[in-house]
Amino acid sequence: MNDATDALSGSPSSPGNRRPAVIDGRAAAPGGAMADAEFDFLARLVHGRTGIMVRPEKRQMLCSRLERRVRALRLSGFAAYCDHLESDLGAAEIEELVNAVTTNLTHFFREKHHFDHLAKHALPAVRRRLEAERSRRLRIWSAGCSTGQEPYSIAMTMLAHGSEIAKWDARILASDVDSSVVEHASAGRYPADQADGIPETYRKRFTRRLRDGALEMAEELKRHIAFKPLNLIEPWPVKGPFQIIFCRNVVIYFDKPTQAVLFDRFAELMPIGGWLYIGHSESLFKVTDRFRLIGSTIYQKVA
């Protein structure tokens, strides 16, 4: 979905992530179920690699999603899958594990009030600041971009805001820990029923209808977006500054210490006054004091 502490970035074979020795070589639980020790190992591994907390009530979800990987690898069960992850061949499977457990639920212009604020307040404020600095470098980050609807919505809002922005050095970094959804997002093609949230004026200007009825995002949008696989708890190959960051419905899966580290790192890449948008179920209360609340889940950097 990240530079966290060493405890959050260990390899599968590090002491903080290894399964208890008691289950090494154990057969899969009856009926293909996931044993407690197997779940604990996989949950620790997912947390260590992504910061995502897989809670006990999500065991069935984890089981159903990983059953496909067990079958694809022709393994006998979850115990064998855990053994595989710890083997020399396991490194290649980590990406598949991460892709399997991440949730990718999104749509165009989700939480519309964020895009209204972006158009009416954030972009005008950033433009005034850049003009005062005699700069045309605008950077926006869609962190946890999923299948791409969010960064395309940002790009439509940005380009519709003013014709001069299209001539600027304006770029949107769209990143996600799930490499498969990043690939889907970069293609920019969506079934027609997924485009219902796009305002009609934007749909006419920024999309085109394909022969199969799907919609494709315009090259005008794609030119301004760079899609990259990126893990938020690992080192970031980005420099900033980012005047605007969207990180919505991502940290809800993180514990508070991981959230604190993440938002501090975001703050380091933003100028004072930079804008941060988070999800409707998320809050920075008792997480960080480097942002002040402006409106519903909209923050501005102050320190």
Side-chain angles (χ1 to χ4, degrees):
M1 266 174 200
N2 314 230
D3 173 348
T5 63
D6 290 342
L8 294 179
S9 58
S11 67
S13 59
S14 65
N17 288 324
R18 286 188 65 85
R19 289 177 293 150
V22 67
I23 73 167
D24 283 353
R26 178 185 295 180
M34 184 179 289
D36 290 348
E38 294 156 9
F39 173 79
D40 291 344
F41 166 71
L42 291 167
R44 286 197 305 273
L45 181 54
V46 169
H47 181 266
R49 285 303 179 112
T50 69
I52 298 171
M53 299 289 292
V54 184
R55 303 189 186 281
E57 60 268 23
K58 297 294 184 181
R59 181 193 293 222
Q60 186 54 46
M61 177 275 291
L62 184 66
C63 181
S64 63
R65 292 187 181 184
L66 291 181
E67 280 177 344
R68 287 169 289 182
R69 294 305 307 155
V70 171
R71 290 196 299 269
L73 294 168
R74 299 184 178 182
L75 299 173
S76 60
F78 291 113
Y81 184 69
C82 293
D83 289 337
H84 178 75
L85 287 168
E86 289 189 300
S87 73
D88 293 340
L89 300 175
E93 180 61 21
I94 295 296
E95 183 176 338
E96 296 291 346
L97 170 65
V98 170
N99 291 352
V101 301
T102 49
T103 300
N104 299 296
L105 175 64
T106 187
H107 54 77
F108 287 100
F109 292 91
R110 185 181 187 184
E111 299 180 50
K112 183 177 178 296
H113 68 284
H114 284 167
F115 297 96
D116 292 340
H117 181 275
L118 178 67
K120 296 176 182 178
H121 301 284
L123 283 172
V126 170
R127 184 172 61 177
R128 288 192 297 270
R129 179 169 184 163
L130 291 178
E131 288 174 346
E133 296 173 351
R134 297 183 178 180
S135 171
R136 291 190 172 187
R137 186 183 185 280
L138 171 61
R139 291 294 184 270
I140 301 175
W141 188 355
S142 170
C145 70
S146 187
T147 46
Q149 288 90 332
E150 179 177 275
Y152 285 121
S153 299
I154 295 170
M156 290 184 220
T157 305
M158 180 183 76
L159 294 178
H161 178 71
S163 58
E164 71 278 8
I165 289 182
K167 303 174 184 177
W168 288 10
D169 176 18
R171 301 283 288 172
I172 299 166
L173 170 62
S175 70
D176 199 280
V177 69
D178 187 336
S179 58
S180 63
V181 298
V182 172
E183 183 178 357
H184 176 90
S186 63
R189 297 179 181 180
Y190 301 91
D193 60 358
Q194 291 186 15
D196 291 343
I198 304 176
E200 186 61 26
T201 54
Y202 287 4
R203 192 179 308 184
K204 290 179 179 179
R205 175 177 172 183
F206 296 117
T207 72
R208 71 183 184 97
R209 183 82 60 178
L210 302 177
R211 289 184 178 180
D212 61 1
L215 289 183
E216 182 174 31
M217 300 297 106
E219 290 300 320
E220 181 183 9
L221 298 177
K222 294 179 181 180
R223 282 196 299 270
H224 291 277
I225 307 175
F227 289 98
K228 302 289 183 183
L230 190 149
N231 189 326
L232 288 176
I233 68 166
E234 293 180 352
W236 298 344
V238 298
K239 295 182 180 179
F242 291 93
Q243 292 92 346
I244 298 166
I245 294 179
F246 279 68
C247 185
R248 306 187 304 167
N249 307 302
V250 174
V251 303
I252 192 173
Y253 302 105
F254 294 175
D255 58 22
K256 292 296 184 182
T258 305
Q259 291 181 24
V261 171
L262 176 63
F263 286 115
D264 184 66
R265 294 179 71 197
F266 279 149
E268 290 300 311
L269 290 178
M270 302 176 73
I272 297 295
W275 302 92
L276 173 68
Y277 299 86
I278 65 175
H280 68 279
S281 299
E282 299 166 335
S283 172
L284 300 190
F285 181 64
K286 293 187 177 180
V287 173
T288 178
D289 57 4
R290 302 190 67 177
F291 298 88
R292 67 185 179 100
L293 182 64
I294 300 298
S296 176
T297 57
I298 301 171
Y299 292 81
Q300 197 167 24
K301 180 184 169 180
V302 296

